[in-house]
């Protein structure tokens, strides 16, 4: 039997071999950019004057190109709790840069939308595409070529992946990613989910639902469940782009501010002007991405990262596929239970030992590449330490080395389950993925007739009139990236949970996405080929039998001759207008398949 450590190396070697040509071309481009030296030296006097005109007391330092100019790319807005804390960051960063003789300027802003606000709305059809918009906007910000290093301020679902894509486009520059931290714990996520189910079943009114939601989302900071936003933060530590222990420190605290100031200084210290030059292209290699995938599996993270990590990697010439994720999941123990995979939120997880403990356990088990380059220095061992702030000084100390609550995080030799939280499914319906970490074993294989829908509103209508009786696999098609931007269908979770709670065997199959917070109902998502491309999902009819099996990895049509039928087409004209969708036609027309990252940057 192959040992887990051998599988880690085998998958890594496979990725390196698959990416040999594209990675070499990318690194050659970065070497060429690096060879040009500090960017500002090549600007005309007029160009520099334009760039420095509003810099006040920093003008002389900027003109002298002394200790470096730090670009700030920010996803700040004050509508979203996760990004509101960034309002204070530029002043903290400028002051920190001046302390080491450098300067800092806000290079530009990027959009930051919330999948929670747009869930079930037309705006959700722009959500996935916003990742590539963010990458483009960040690249525009950095295109002035006046910066020696960058700090990226972002948290949520598409923001961090988009910023990582841009960071790799400017991969000759060092970069430090800075989070805002989670909001304080409010109404427990499990209690909030109960109220949502009660509302979906007509057992409580909107006033009770609103009160529960406001008690859960109640202050500045990231939502506290372990969805895509907090999965992003985990990845930035596993992949070496955060300062150690930075992910889950609350906003507007002394420690959070100290980490922000130190991040700015560290970014400048890694520039080509000093002796510790560490560009992004040297950090984000194949081993870093394997570490990220292991972290994703060990924590039961968001399925959205099966799309985002593929796209992020390709920006650096690294080609991942879903089999890599599945093979690594097979040998990665699940070490964390954070809602929706458990009752704890990320604050409880952090207090119980958090990422420092978890990374330490995986390193001891040989399941991570320990020798990767990071913004904290050589080696992932740095990320087993905890930051602390005392007497006006930031420092790092050795982590506890043991779980402080084994109901939340467990040692590698005694995990919650021996394999990770993600599963690739393949069969006559195509390829899909499933998050299994929150799905009970008895629900991980479902064989049932299908009900086919062309949108989530149709599913809700059928549920409301009591049509979804008996065992059923709900198929929602024409939700892929080419059809309508691949929206999340998380608003279906409460009603599908009700059906499952009644004793029905239930599953969801879709070429769309589910939220990173999706939980106990088995969902085969990201089905490829998608319906608009004539995939087998477009040939299904009500009553056809499907088998969705996360145990064996099967996604099979059991009814004979289904694939001999003509593929159904759908009127998608409504997807093209309203809420800005008119402006995204070029994205829908050029986007790659979900298996290739659902990106406009090529598949």
């Amino acid at each position: 039997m192959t040992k887990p450590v051998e599988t880690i190396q085998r998958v890594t070697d496979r990725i390196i071999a698959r990416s040999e040509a594209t990675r070499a071309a990318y690194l050659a481009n970065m070497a060429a950019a690096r060879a040009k030296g500090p960017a500002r030296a090549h600007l005309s006097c007029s160009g520099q004057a334009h760039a420095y005109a509003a810099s006040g007391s920093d003008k002389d330092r900027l003109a002298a190109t002394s200790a470096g100019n730090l670009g700030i790319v920010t996803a700040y807005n004050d509508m979203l709790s996760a990004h509101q804390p960034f309002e204070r960051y530029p002043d903290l960063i400028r002051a920190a840069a001046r302390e080491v003789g450098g300067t800092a300027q806000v290079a530009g802003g990027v959009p930051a939308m919330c999948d929670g606000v747009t869930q079930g709305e037309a705006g959700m059809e722009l959500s996935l595409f916003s990742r590539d918009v963010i990458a483009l906007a960040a690249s525009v910000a950095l295109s002035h070529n006046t910066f020696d290093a960058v700090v990226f301020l972002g948290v949520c679902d598409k923001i961090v992946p988009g910023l990582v894509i841009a960071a790799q486009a400017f991969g000759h520059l060092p970069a430090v990613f800075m989070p805002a931290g989670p909001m304080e714990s409010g109404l427990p996520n499990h209690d909030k989910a109960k109220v949502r189910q009660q509302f979906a079943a007509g057992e409580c009114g909107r006033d009770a639902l609103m009160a529960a939601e406001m008690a859960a989302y109640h202050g500045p900071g990231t939502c506290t469940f372990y969805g895509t936003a907090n999965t992003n933060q985990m990845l930035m530590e596993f992949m070496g782009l955060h300062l150690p222990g930075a992910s889950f420190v609350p906003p507007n605290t002394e420690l959070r501010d100290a980490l922000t100031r130190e991040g700015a200084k560290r970014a400048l210290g890694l520039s080509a002007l000093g002796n510790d030059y560490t560009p992004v292209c040297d950090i984000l290699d194949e081993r870093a991405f394997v570490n990220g995938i292991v972290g994703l599996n060990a924590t039961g993270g968001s399925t959205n990262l099966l799309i985002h990590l593929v796209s992020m990697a390709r920006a650096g010439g690294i080609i991942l596929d879903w089999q890599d994720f599945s093979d690594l999941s097979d040998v990665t123990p699940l070490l964390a239970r954070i809602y929706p995979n458990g009752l704890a939120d990320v604050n409880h997880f952090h207090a119980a030992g958090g990422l420092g403990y978890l990374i330490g356990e995986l390193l001891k088990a040989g399941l991570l590449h320990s020798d990767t380059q990071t913004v904290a220095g050589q080696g992932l061992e740095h990320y087993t330490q905890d930051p602390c702030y005392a007497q006006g000084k930031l420092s790092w100390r050795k982590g506890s080395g043991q779980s402080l609550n084994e109901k939340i995080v467990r040692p590698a030799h005694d995990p919650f389950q021996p394999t990770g939280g993600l599963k690739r499914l393949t069969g006559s319906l195509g390829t899909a993925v499933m998050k299994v970490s929150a799905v009970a074993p008895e629900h991980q294989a479902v064989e049932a007739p299908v009900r086919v829908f062309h949108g989530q509103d149709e599913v809700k209508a059928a549920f409301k009139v009591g049509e979804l009786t008996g065992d059923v696999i709900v198929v929602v098609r024409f939700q892929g990236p080419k059809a309508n931007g691949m929206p999340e269908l998380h608003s279906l979770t409460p009603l599908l949970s009700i059906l499952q709670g009644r004793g029905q065997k239930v599953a969801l199959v879709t070429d769309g996405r589910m939220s990173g917070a999706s939980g106990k109902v088995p969902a085969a998502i990201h089905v490829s080929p998608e319906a608009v491309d004539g995939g087998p999902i477009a040939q299904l009819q009500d009553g056809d039998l499907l088998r969705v099996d996360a145990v064996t990895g099967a996604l099979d049509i059991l009814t004979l001759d289904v694939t001999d039928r003509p593929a159904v087409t759908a009127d998608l004209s409504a997807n093209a207008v309203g809420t800005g969708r008119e402006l995204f036609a070029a994205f829908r027309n050029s986007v790659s398949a979900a298996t290739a990252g659902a990106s406009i940057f090529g598949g």
Side-chain angles (χ1 to χ4, degrees):
M1 185 175 179
T2 304
K3 295 180 180 179
V5 175
E6 294 172 353
T7 298
I8 300 293
Q9 191 59 54
R10 175 174 56 81
V11 172
T12 304
D13 291 343
R14 184 171 75 201
I15 294 168
I16 291 171
R18 185 192 304 138
S19 310
E20 183 177 6
T22 50
R23 181 66 176 168
Y26 169 76
L27 291 175
N29 289 337
M30 294 304 103
R34 179 186 309 177
K36 294 179 181 178
R40 283 173 294 142
H42 301 285
L43 293 178
S44 69
C45 292
S46 175
Q48 291 190 58
H50 274 81
Y52 311 155
S55 297
S57 62
D58 288 332
K59 278 187 179 181
D60 289 343
R61 278 192 295 272
L62 282 163
T65 64
S66 53
N69 188 30
L70 183 61
I72 305 168
V73 178
T74 177
Y76 163 72
N77 65 53
D78 64 7
M79 182 194 73
L80 301 179
S81 63
H83 294 88
Q84 185 273 340
F86 288 140
E87 183 174 19
R88 300 173 54 246
Y89 277 34
D91 285 341
L92 292 170
I93 291 166
R94 290 187 195 100
R98 290 171 188 139
E99 288 180 17
V100 293
T103 55
Q105 297 176 294
V106 174
V110 301
M113 67 180 291
C114 177
D115 289 0
V117 176
T118 58
Q119 199 67 241
E121 303 291 333
M124 174 53 76
E125 296 182 11
L126 308 185
S127 172
L128 181 57
F129 290 146
S130 76
R131 179 197 63 197
D132 292 0
V133 172
I134 288 160
L136 292 169
S139 294
V140 170
L142 297 176
S143 67
H144 298 94
N145 221 19
T146 62
F147 303 108
D148 303 291
V150 191
V151 289
F152 290 99
L153 316 184
V155 175
C156 287
D157 295 29
K158 314 306 169 300
I159 294 88
V160 168
L163 293 175
V164 170
I165 291 169
Q168 293 196 98
F170 289 82
H172 63 292
L173 296 177
V176 173
F177 278 63
M178 293 184 176
M183 70 174 68
E184 295 178 358
S185 300
L187 179 73
N189 289 295
H190 182 67
D191 293 345
K192 175 192 67 180
K194 282 184 179 178
V195 177
R196 287 180 175 178
Q197 286 188 36
Q198 289 168 354
F199 179 76
E203 297 171 0
C204 72
R206 186 168 289 276
D207 55 344
L209 176 65
M210 189 65 183
E213 298 289 358
M214 293 289 281
Y217 306 116
H218 60 92
T222 314
C223 304
T224 60
F225 59 83
Y226 195 54
T228 310
N230 285 315
T231 302
N232 286 338
Q233 305 316 302
M234 174 277 299
L235 285 170
M236 291 301 94
E237 294 213 26
F238 270 80
M239 298 174 72
L241 290 175
H242 272 181
L243 292 182
S247 293
F248 301 131
V249 175
N252 304 320
T253 60
E254 287 186 335
L255 179 56
R256 175 86 277 155
D257 288 354
L259 286 165
T260 300
R261 292 191 295 268
E262 182 61 25
K265 295 175 184 178
R266 186 61 182 155
L268 284 173
L270 297 175
S271 83
L273 297 174
N275 297 319
D276 198 16
Y277 178 49
T278 309
V280 166
C281 64
D282 286 356
I283 291 176
L284 294 182
D285 62 10
E286 295 89 345
R287 298 169 303 156
F289 278 97
V290 168
N291 284 350
I293 297 170
V294 169
L296 180 66
N297 280 298
T299 58
S302 168
T303 52
N304 281 321
L305 271 301
L306 281 108
I307 292 175
H308 296 324
L309 276 166
V310 170
S311 189
M312 290 156 63
R314 286 181 179 235
I318 297 168
I319 302 173
L320 304 177
D321 66 33
W322 289 349
Q323 193 61 49
D324 300 326
F325 291 78
S326 188
D327 289 351
L328 292 172
S329 181
D330 286 344
V331 298
T332 303
L334 182 68
L335 302 185
R337 286 285 192 202
I338 321 169
Y339 187 85
N341 309 330
L343 297 181
D345 67 21
V346 293
N347 293 315
H348 305 138
F349 167 71
H350 186 62
L355 292 177
Y357 169 73
L358 196 145
I359 290 172
E361 284 297 299
L362 292 169
L363 283 171
K364 284 190 292 184
L367 295 173
L368 293 171
H369 294 287
S370 62
D371 57 345
T372 52
Q373 185 61 261
T374 79
V375 298
Q378 185 76 34
L380 204 56
E381 188 71 28
H382 290 287
Y383 289 81
T384 64
Q385 298 179 316
D386 293 332
C388 56
Y389 185 75
Q391 299 179 330
K393 184 178 180 181
L394 176 67
S395 61
W396 276 265
R397 61 191 175 198
K398 185 176 176 61
S400 68
Q402 62 183 18
S403 172
L404 302 181
N405 188 334
E406 291 199 357
K407 293 181 180 179
I408 299 173
V409 60
R410 298 184 66 85
H413 68 267
D414 185 22
F416 290 105
Q417 63 185 49
T419 58
L422 300 169
K423 190 73 176 182
R424 178 181 182 233
L425 309 179
T426 58
S428 52
L429 192 67
T431 297
V433 294
M434 183 187 293
K435 180 176 178 177
V436 296
S437 51
V439 179
E442 64 268 24
H443 297 310
Q444 291 187 10
V446 177
E447 188 175 303
V450 305
R451 278 294 308 273
V452 180
F453 302 93
H454 288 181
Q456 55 191 316
D457 289 340
E458 293 180 10
V459 182
K460 294 173 186 176
F463 173 82
K464 189 173 183 179
V465 299
E467 292 182 2
L468 300 178
T469 58
D471 297 344
V472 62
I473 294 177
V474 174
V475 174
V476 189
R477 63 191 179 193
F478 295 102
Q479 305 298 305
K482 293 183 181 180
N484 63 349
M486 207 178 187
E488 289 183 349
L489 307 178
H490 183 56
S491 63
L492 298 181
T493 298
L495 62 89
L496 294 176
S497 298
I498 290 170
L499 299 180
Q500 184 173 270
R502 292 172 180 169
Q504 297 171 235
K505 290 185 177 180
V506 180
L508 174 71
V509 172
T510 180
D511 49 9
R513 296 182 295 127
M514 285 293 278
S515 167
S518 299
K520 61 185 181 181
V521 176
I525 60 178
H526 309 173
V527 172
S528 290
E530 64 173 288
V532 80
D533 277 340
I537 193 172
Q539 296 169 303
L540 293 174
Q541 296 176 358
D542 286 352
D544 289 339
L545 285 177
L546 279 187
R547 182 166 182 82
V548 179
D549 191 336
V551 179
T552 64
L555 183 62
D556 286 319
I557 305 169
L558 303 182
T559 300
L560 297 176
D561 302 325
V562 167
T563 54
D564 292 335
R565 300 171 186 161
V568 171
T569 58
D571 180 4
L572 302 178
S573 59
N575 300 336
V577 296
T579 324
R581 288 178 288 181
E582 300 91 334
L583 305 178
F584 283 78
F587 283 65
R588 292 189 295 273
N589 292 337
S590 61
V591 65
S592 65
T595 50
S599 174
I600 64 166
F601 300 132

